[in-house]
């Protein structure tokens, strides 16, 4: 059933991105609509709707719920407990990292992910202590969206999802596949809620120091969108894209922002 689900998701994602690419091509050849000022970016055909969702995510959901809860969490939770929870959440993703590396022909990186899972799940007390990292085996984070990207599957249109933030059909489809891997597929509801909550709160906590950068942007929506696609390209090409040079510091800043409403990206979380 897992193989069938994975295959179906790949086909659906490819179909969505293919349709989106065709739509973007048609828009590009026909020029932007005179009636809608937001139809200028081929990657963002739903910009008028996306901007409304962005305003809700940032000005309502974050300001009145996520940010206050995060500040309370950071204030009352001891650092050692936060680090242990983050390490445990990251450890659950290691089998997925292993397969996603293998699918891209990255054998050494996949073996590193396997070694990290075995070591941290045992000696590291169910992943709460990053023993593997202390002995030099670094995390090789890869999601299935990066696998699809390396296979030539396009992202499709930009989507601002309520509560999840910046997204695209390829990335949304990859989330389901990443959750099929062991042990993610067998986690009970309580464990999943804890993992999701920890990732969200730690991601938002990392963003607090970066808020001025976003607030100073002339168009915060466009800033986030452009950084999002640059970040995707950088990750798929492992930083070797020839189309644009992306500063490492800028990527770190956006990675922190993206993780505010994205449970997957926790690369800048405390170890």
């Amino acid at each position: 059933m897992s193989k069938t689900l994975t295959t179906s998701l790949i086909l659906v994602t490819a179909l969505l991105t293919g349709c989106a690419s065709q739509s973007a091509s048609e828009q590009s050849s026909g020029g932007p609509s005179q009636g809608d000022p937001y139809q200028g970016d081929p990657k963002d055909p739903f910009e008028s709707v996306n901007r409304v969702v962005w305003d809700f995510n940032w000005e309502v959901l974050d300001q009145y719920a996520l940010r206050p809860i995060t500040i309370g969490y950071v204030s009352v939770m001891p650092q050692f407990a936060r680090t242990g929870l983050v390490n445990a959440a990251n450890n659950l993703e290691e089998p997925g990292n292993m397969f996603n590396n293998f699918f891209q022909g990255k054998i050494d990186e996949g073996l590193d992910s396997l070694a990290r899972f075995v070591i941290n799940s045992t000696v590291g007390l169910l992943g709460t202590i990053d023993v593997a990292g202390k002995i030099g085996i670094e995390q090789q984070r890869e999601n299935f969206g990066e696998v699809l990207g390396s296979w030539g599957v396009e992202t499709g249109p930009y989507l601002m999802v309520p509560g999840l933030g910046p997204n695209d059909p390829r990335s949304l489809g990859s989330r389901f596949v990443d959750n099929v891997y062991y042990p993610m597929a067998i986690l009970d509801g309580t464990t999943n809620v804890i993992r999701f909550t920890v990732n969200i709160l730690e991601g938002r906590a990392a963003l607090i120091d970066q808020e001025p950068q976003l607030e100073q942007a002339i168009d915060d929506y466009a800033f986030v969108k452009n950084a999002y696609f640059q970040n995707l390209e950088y990750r798929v090409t492992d930083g070797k894209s020839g189309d644009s040079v992306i500063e490492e510091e800028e990527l770190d800043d956006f990675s922190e922002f993206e993780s505010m409403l994205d449970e997957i990206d926790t690369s800048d979380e405390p170890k």
Side-chain angles (χ1 to χ4, degrees):
M1 183 175 66
S2 296
K3 292 182 179 179
T4 301
L5 176 59
T6 300
T7 302
S8 300
L9 286 169
I10 293 174
L11 292 175
V12 170
T13 302
L15 178 61
L16 284 173
T17 53
C19 292
S21 299
Q22 181 178 359
S23 175
S25 177
E26 292 174 353
Q27 287 187 10
S28 178
S29 61
S33 172
Q34 298 297 324
D36 190 343
Y38 293 131
Q39 290 185 1
D41 185 352
K43 287 187 176 181
D44 193 3
F46 312 117
E47 184 170 354
S48 56
V49 176
N50 284 337
R51 283 183 176 271
V52 174
V53 178
W54 161 251
D55 289 341
F56 168 75
N57 282 345
W58 183 243
E59 298 179 5
V60 179
L61 184 61
D62 180 76
Q63 296 301 316
Y64 293 99
L66 186 55
R67 191 178 191 280
I69 293 174
T70 299
I71 292 176
Y73 165 79
V74 171
S75 299
V76 303
M77 184 69 71
Q79 183 59 57
F80 76 89
R82 290 176 56 193
T83 301
L85 288 171
V86 169
N87 287 339
N90 287 341
N91 188 58
L92 293 172
E93 300 174 5
E94 292 295 359
N97 293 335
M98 178 189 70
F99 283 111
N100 290 332
N101 274 299
F102 284 162
F103 290 154
Q104 298 176 74
K106 302 176 181 178
I107 305 303
D108 291 341
E109 290 84 348
L111 292 176
D112 282 348
S113 297
L114 175 60
R116 284 181 56 84
F117 183 69
V118 173
I119 293 172
N120 288 344
S121 297
T122 53
V123 183
L125 303 178
L126 299 179
T128 55
I129 304 174
D130 186 9
V131 177
K134 296 181 184 300
I135 63 176
I137 307 177
E138 300 297 331
Q139 187 176 39
Q140 307 293 337
R141 185 184 298 274
E142 295 283 331
N143 59 54
F144 193 71
E146 293 170 64
V147 175
L148 293 176
S150 70
W151 291 352
V153 178
E154 298 295 333
T155 62
Y158 183 61
L159 303 172
M160 183 63 68
V161 182
L164 287 179
N167 260 290
D168 62 89
R170 188 181 74 190
S171 297
L172 284 174
S174 76
R175 293 174 186 270
F176 293 98
V177 178
D178 287 332
N179 285 325
V180 170
Y181 296 131
Y182 175 89
M184 307 292 279
I186 64 171
L187 296 180
D188 60 31
T190 301
T191 304
N192 260 324
V193 169
I194 294 175
R195 180 181 67 87
F196 178 85
T197 303
V198 168
N199 285 336
I200 288 292
L201 294 178
E202 288 294 344
R204 184 59 182 92
L207 176 66
I208 291 177
D209 291 337
Q210 306 301 329
E211 288 177 354
Q213 181 181 1
L214 183 61
E215 293 171 353
Q216 292 171 7
I218 297 176
D219 185 346
D220 51 8
Y221 172 86
F223 169 79
V224 171
K225 178 178 64 176
N226 293 335
Y228 175 77
F229 280 115
Q230 287 182 339
N231 186 54
L232 286 181
E233 182 179 9
Y234 181 91
R235 292 181 181 280
V236 169
T237 62
D238 293 328
K240 301 175 183 178
S241 172
D243 295 335
S244 59
V245 178
I246 307 171
E247 295 294 337
E248 192 71 33
E249 184 178 353
E250 293 177 359
L251 285 169
D252 290 341
D253 290 345
F254 178 71
S255 180
E256 292 170 354
F257 166 76
E258 182 185 28
S259 62
M260 174 188 68
L261 294 173
D262 184 355
E263 64 172 330
I264 300 302
D265 190 358
T266 56
S267 58
D268 292 318
E269 293 167 350
K271 302 294 182 186

